Amino acid sequence: NYEFKYPYTPFIWFRFEDICYCPEHVLERLLDSTLAPYVNDDLIEAIKTYPCDLYTELGSGLSIYNVDELGYVVESLALYIRQFGYEELVLSMIENHEKTHSE
């Protein structure tokens, strides 16, 4: 609840799929908001060097959590999960997590 706790602190919402589908726009917006200088050619080179694969990377970090910890993460992020319409996605990730950890 960062944005409620610190309402006068600016922040930017961007989703993982935004980074994958339009990385240049997202990264430009992020860098512009920090006022950090950057060279557009370097940004494009970084995007080419470190491409995003939404289908293999999304949820890949969940394996470090046990079921209870994953439940806590989901509970803590429930507001954002609903905000972005990720309820079904998160449920399928939990089901997959439970299957892979029960074998």
Side-chain angles (χ1 to χ4, degrees):
N1 295 336
Y2 182 85
E3 70 273 23
F4 301 116
K5 190 172 182 181
Y6 306 101
Y8 301 107
T9 303
F11 66 95
I12 296 175
W13 279 110
F14 57 92
R15 304 166 305 163
F16 185 69
E17 62 264 30
D18 295 333
I19 297 170
C20 287
Y21 291 133
C22 45
E24 186 174 351
H25 175 75
V26 171
L27 294 174
E28 283 176 349
R29 181 137 185 238
L30 179 64
L31 289 169
D32 287 346
S33 72
T34 66
L35 303 177
Y38 66 93
V39 177
N40 200 48
D41 289 345
D42 292 341
L43 180 63
I44 291 170
E45 186 60 34
I47 291 168
K48 288 179 184 175
T49 304
Y50 303 102
C52 175
D53 185 349
L54 181 65
Y55 298 101
T56 60
E57 295 177 29
L58 186 63
S60 62
L62 296 179
S63 61
I64 65 169
Y65 298 106
N66 66 38
V67 175
D68 292 334
E69 292 168 333
L70 186 58
Y72 176 77
V73 169
V74 170
E75 184 180 311
S76 299
L77 299 176
L79 173 69
Y80 309 110
I81 290 169
R82 283 191 303 276
Q83 177 177 339
F84 292 114
Y86 291 155
E87 294 94 337
E88 288 183 33
L89 174 63
V90 169
L91 287 175
S92 69
M93 290 173 139
I94 291 171
E95 288 172 5
N96 186 50
H97 185 276
E98 290 174 346
K99 285 178 191 173
T100 57
H101 285 78
S102 64
E103 298 172 352

